[in-house]
Amino acid sequence: MGEVIVITSGKGGVGKTTTTANLGTGFALMGKKVVLIDADIGLRNLDVVMGLENRIVYDLVDVTEGNCRLKQALIRDKRYETLYLLPAAQTRDKNAVSPDQMQKLCKDLAQDFDYVLIDCPAGIEQGFKNAIAGADRAVIVTTPEVSAVRDADRIIGLLEAEGKSNPKLIVNRIRPHMVKKGDMMDIDDIIEILAVDLLGIIPEDEYIVISTNRGEPAVVNPASAASTAYKNIVRRMMGENVPLMSMEAESGFFGRLKKIFGFKEG
Amino acid sequence: MFDLLQKLFGRETSKSKDIAKERLRLVLVHDRVNVSPQFMEVLKEDMIKAISNYMEINEKDMEVTLTQTNTSQVALVANIPVNRMKRGALPAE
Ligand SMILES: Nc1ncnc2c1ncn2[C@@H]1O[C@H](COP(=O)(O)OP(=O)(O)OP(=O)(O)O)[C@@H](O)[C@H]1O
Ligand SMILES: [Mg+2]
């Protein structure tokens, strides 16, 4: 039985899709069998970030409505044999799927894959409820901004109410020089306020834009600063105790926070 | 006055991250209360339980709210009419 993990945030545009694509590719790099579900029905994006937009025949709604078998809708990645995508429907809306259907779908996929990653839509409505329904755990993505952290707090509360406690946090788009100047909230601040475990930090990285243009997740490019960060997160999610990378440590984020939490604990 | 002195002596009082953190802290106090409508009710019941050991209060007119003070702190403000004190209510040490 594999693990089903939802990548969520509350606020839009903070990096859920980018994170899902890179962590998924990262798992594949480690030889794991992984499937990415784009749960953002009506606003399909993950296919483009993965560079698989031309290969879509069936989508998630086709599966739940029985227009095709689950296996037929899975698209294999161009480079990695153990990496698959289940694309969202583009011409339907969030109500085309129910939480029960998502639960069943996730269960089925967890039979065959080590990891099932779900790219959650922004917001707290039906799309969010569908995306979290089948998940064993949640990863919350935020950026170091008041509005994003506020929404993350709301999401943590909603996840708890659904019985999905102990989510792990990724802080995306950190700019070390701004943190140093005192013009960006640091990780200590955010962790203290949200009272959750930190899974990792992703720096602001121009290469993310370039790789999205190309349809090749940045994690595969060693020149990308974010690449190491994603790889470290993947290893933490696999239960390894990986210390913070120097970019993270150097920026003085960790006054108090001595220990980074592996994903398996707690 | 103190603020002015701090500014004069160039002590950095307003790094934008500190402002962000403070605003976030305040906004979350309110968000977290509002997320759960029962929160205030449960708190009120617990307060009544505790206070009733010492005095008889008018539960009907009791008011408990969160407000923001002018020093931008969040304060729990309770207005609890007392009907009468209980005799010998001090618990044994
Ligand atoms: N670490 C980063 N450095 C630079 N750019 C980034 C980083 N992370 C994300 N971005 C950019 O931010 C934008 C939004 O990212 P993304 O689409 O992953 O967010 P999202 O949370 O999935 O958005 P939505 O809520 O609309 O689904 C994209 O243009 C992406 O390239
Ligand atoms: Mg997205």
Side-chain angles (χ1 to χ4, degrees), chain B residues 6-67:
Chain B
Q6 281 193 322
K7 267 182 203 135
L8 277 177
F9 291 101
R11 263 202 47 198
E12 271 202 80
T13 54
S14 56
K15 277 187 178 165
S16 74
K17 78 137 191 176
D18 293 329
I19 299 170
K21 196 178 161 188
E22 193 52 29
R23 291 175 60 217
L24 192 52
R25 211 175 51 75
L26 286 174
V27 92
L28 287 186
V29 170
H30 291 281
D31 282 4
R32 283 178 187 174
V33 170
N34 291 333
V35 161
S36 149
Q38 308 98 325
F39 181 97
M40 278 311 212
E41 282 313 307
V42 175
L43 173 64
K44 232 164 142 176
E45 274 163 33
D46 274 357
M47 289 172 75
I48 291 170
K49 241 185 265 161
I51 295 167
S52 300
N53 291 330
Y54 306 92
M55 52 193 91
E56 202 174 275
I57 59 176
N58 178 351
E59 294 176 27
K60 200 163 52 60
D61 295 337
M62 170 176 177
E63 274 175 44
V64 181
T65 48
L66 281 177
T67 55

Side-chain angles (χ1 to χ4, degrees), chain A residues 9-20 40 43 45 49 119-123 141 172-174 202-209 212 226 230:
Chain A
S9 70
K11 185 167 155 57
V14 298
K16 294 176 292 296
T17 301
T18 307
T19 302
T20 308
D40 204 344
L43 289 170
N45 271 161
V49 177
D119 180 15
C120 183
V141 181
N172 189 23
R173 311 195 76 154
I174 277 276
I202 314 290
E204 173 80 26
D205 183 0
E206 280 182 12
Y207 200 84
I208 298 278
V209 180
T212 307
Y230 287 124

